[in-house]
């Protein structure tokens, strides 16, 4: 049996270990916490 990994792009705050699917939420987190967020590819189950 072969499985295919599905991926999606999310915004990630590595300081808080939080991920955001919505770029507006990521921007809000960035403004409130003054942490940088990075767009990364993640595996979806």
């Amino acid at each position: 049996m072969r499985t295919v990994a599905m991926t999606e792009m999310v915004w990630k705050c590595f300081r808080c270990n939080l991920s955001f699917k919505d770029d507006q939420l990521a921007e809000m987190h960035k403004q409130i916490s003054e942490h940088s967020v990075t767009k990364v590819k993640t595996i979806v189950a």
Side-chain angles (χ1 to χ4, degrees):
M1 176 186 249
R2 185 173 170 198
T3 59
V4 177
M6 301 294 289
T7 61
E8 69 179 359
M9 297 301 287
V10 297
W11 293 95
K12 176 94 174 160
C13 175
F14 289 99
R15 290 181 68 184
C16 295
N17 196 30
L18 294 173
S19 298
F20 305 96
K21 290 183 180 179
D22 186 4
D23 59 338
Q24 292 177 345
L25 290 175
E27 186 62 34
M28 189 184 312
H29 175 75
K30 185 175 162 182
Q31 291 175 356
I32 293 170
S33 66
E34 297 183 4
H35 295 169
S36 61
V37 291
T38 306
K39 198 164 196 176
V40 295
K41 191 181 290 188
T42 186
I43 296 175
V44 179

